[in-house]
Amino acid sequence: MIGARLTGFLYCDLAGIVRGRLVATADLERRVATGAGWVPANLSLTPFGGIAEPNPHGPTGDVRLRPDPATRVCVEFGEAATPLEFFLCDVVGTDGGDWAGCPRTFLARALHDLEREAGVRLLASFEHEFQLVDDGPPPLAFSLAAQRAVDPLGPIIVGALTQAGVEPEFFLPEYGDHQFEVSCAPAEGLAAADRSVITKEVIREAARVTGRRVTFAPLRHPQAVGNGAHIHFSFLGPDGEPAIYDESRPGQLSPIAGQFAAGILTHAPALAAFVTPGASSFLRLGPHRWSSGAACLGERNRETLLRIAPVVEIAGHDAARQHNLEFRAADATACPYLVLGVLVRAGLNGVRQALECPPILRDDPAALSPEELRQFGAPAMPGSLSEALDRLHEDETARGWLPPLLYDSYVGVKRAELSLLDGLDDAEICRRYADVY
């Protein structure tokens, strides 16, 4: 194939969009050391085009995209396309020092504080749901026919993700029309968020080279089944052993796991601004959408914001190594680094305050009265992105997790995003997000 081989220096921005620059692969040795130039105001790019105004950057300043060698991806698609090759980057100052606007650095600092203060490391994985952009009659949910109808896309996706090093575990047709899910093995902290970014971009490319298009948007239309990005997480202690399991306690959650869960639920209304940050995200949430019908802790309960996932007792599997919590509200309009970062900050706040483990809901929250639901500590969640941003502003603790530059940039992007959707009905809003994500 004629042409130079190119490698991307990429990062995931505040809107969850992967952006960056391409360099000649032949020149990588020199480029990796110095990175590539970037513009601070690019942090304020909205998902629909244009830079949010006002923003804290203006036309001045310079930063660098510095690649992390551990994130290098190279996926070969044969003759169908040139290799998909890229690094994920930290955004740093021109002197190589940390830049306050970098989402990946924000997560790294949160993880550092978690280990320093609580003595545990985060182990996490993302389950991504997506849909083919196809208006034809859909095969039945979960059926072999649905799997084979898209062949060879499934095998290509799994093979490409394997090349990318993200350890795919399942590819399956899901409940929605033309909907699929991919899950990957868990990874520690920063690598878990990296895997989320890599997974989505590799799936997009696999679809492109097979003549298809996919969307990870929360909803293709208001009545559709939603696409989530469920996050499973647990903890490792200093010795590398699981630190989430305690058979003697409710839900088999260790004291630190219970405190962490309580911190997340305490700040859940403010977290919504980061984990469900699209205007269409809030159409996906609510009772009987299996996303987050109530902001409480449930056991094997897909209607709760936090779910204690089941363990497999077949063949003598170790329960402690399987035990995990699942955060069910997040979707692909979010930046994975911000999502994990704020979850860690909220959970760590629960650990600092030694909060009690929340009561565990085992029933459908929609069947409970408001008084009964309050017994499970479920705070009222925002009903829109605008309300979520207001709840974030009201939560002084949550506001303080972000450096001022990052906070001001993020809120500016989200407010601008809403202004670009002003006057559109729900169906058009869903379409706009489906086109971008």
Side-chain angles (χ1 to χ4, degrees):
M1 186 173 290
I2 298 174
R5 186 162 170 168
L6 300 176
T7 299
F9 286 7
L10 309 176
Y11 89 112
C12 184
D13 74 2
L14 302 184
I17 305 296
V18 174
R19 308 183 194 264
R21 294 193 171 187
L22 300 178
V23 303
T25 306
D27 198 26
L28 268 186
E29 185 175 352
R30 179 174 68 89
R31 291 291 187 182
V32 166
T34 59
W38 200 241
V39 178
N42 286 350
L43 190 67
S44 292
L45 286 164
T46 78
F48 303 122
I51 295 174
E53 294 290 352
N55 68 73
H57 312 285
T60 62
D62 289 279
V63 288
R64 306 288 293 179
L65 297 175
R66 183 176 63 191
D68 180 344
T71 67
R72 186 174 185 176
V73 168
C74 183
V75 178
E76 303 274 359
F77 290 97
E79 295 299 318
T82 57
L84 174 66
E85 189 166 1
F86 61 84
F87 294 88
L88 297 178
C89 298
D90 296 303
V91 188
V92 300
T94 53
D95 62 354
D98 288 351
W99 184 54
C102 178
R104 197 166 183 265
T105 300
F106 169 71
L107 172 57
R109 288 178 172 175
L111 294 167
H112 172 79
D113 288 349
L114 177 68
E115 184 171 5
R116 177 174 57 86
E117 295 185 40
V120 295
R121 306 193 305 275
L122 185 76
L123 190 69
S125 66
F126 287 72
E127 290 178 350
H128 282 293
E129 295 170 331
F130 63 94
Q131 287 172 289
L132 297 180
V133 179
D134 186 338
D135 294 320
L140 292 174
F142 309 114
S143 68
L144 178 61
Q147 180 88 289
R148 298 300 295 171
V150 301
D151 192 70
L153 182 60
I156 289 174
I157 284 176
V158 172
L161 292 173
T162 301
Q163 286 188 63
V166 297
E167 300 181 90
E169 294 186 325
F170 296 103
F171 174 84
L172 68 148
E174 258 286 358
Y175 184 64
D177 291 351
H178 306 291
Q179 186 183 42
F180 295 85
E181 179 183 290
V182 166
S183 62
C184 297
E188 282 195 35
L190 200 59
D194 291 337
R195 284 188 173 191
S196 174
V197 176
I198 292 166
T199 296
K200 287 182 288 185
E201 297 312 304
V202 168
I203 290 173
R204 291 188 214 280
E205 180 68 2
R208 186 188 72 82
V209 300
T210 56
R212 297 178 179 272
R213 189 165 72 86
V214 299
T215 180
F216 291 83
L219 291 170
R220 285 198 66 200
H221 56 80
Q223 287 74 45
V225 173
N227 296 309
H230 303 157
I231 304 167
H232 290 259
F233 63 92
S234 63
F235 307 106
L236 298 175
D239 56 0
E241 292 298 308
I244 190 172
Y245 185 77
D246 187 332
E247 191 175 12
S248 68
R249 296 177 59 84
Q252 291 76 54
L253 293 176
S254 66
I256 193 171
Q259 294 165 355
F260 198 93
I264 288 175
L265 296 181
T266 297
H267 294 285
L271 294 179
F274 298 103
V275 301
T276 53
S280 65
S281 299
F282 293 85
L283 302 174
R284 170 182 160 263
L285 306 177
H288 295 162
R289 279 190 171 267
W290 288 21
S291 52
S292 58
C296 54
L297 176 64
E299 187 165 21
R300 304 192 184 200
N301 190 337
R302 292 175 176 83
E303 280 288 293
T304 57
L305 181 69
L306 267 181
R307 180 175 86 115
I308 303 171
V311 298
V312 177
E313 298 166 350
I314 299 171
H317 280 221
D318 184 356
R321 294 191 178 278
Q322 301 174 60
H323 206 45
N324 67 87
L325 287 165
E326 179 187 21
F327 185 85
R328 295 186 58 79
D331 65 52
T333 61
C335 170
Y337 302 105
L338 291 183
V339 170
L340 277 189
V342 296
L343 288 178
V344 167
R345 288 295 182 194
L348 182 56
N349 200 48
V351 175
R352 287 169 177 157
Q353 298 181 54
L355 298 180
E356 291 290 329
C357 181
I360 298 171
L361 177 63
R362 294 176 173 85
D363 301 313
D364 183 350
L368 303 181
S369 68
E371 293 75 19
E372 291 172 320
L373 197 56
R374 274 195 291 272
Q375 296 177 14
F376 292 91
M381 292 296 285
S384 67
L385 176 55
S386 179
E387 185 182 347
L389 292 169
D390 290 342
R391 299 296 290 274
L392 172 62
H393 177 74
E394 294 163 5
D395 189 331
E396 185 176 353
T397 299
R399 285 205 323 269
W401 296 333
L402 279 71
L405 178 70
L406 188 58
Y407 179 85
D408 291 344
S409 299
Y410 185 78
V411 172
V413 166
K414 291 292 131 183
R415 293 293 186 192
E417 186 175 320
L418 286 172
S419 71
L420 294 171
L421 300 170
D422 191 42
L424 302 182
D425 62 21
D426 288 345
E428 180 61 16
I429 288 172
C430 288
R431 188 193 68 78
R432 291 288 302 276
Y433 280 98
D435 286 346
V436 171
Y437 290 93

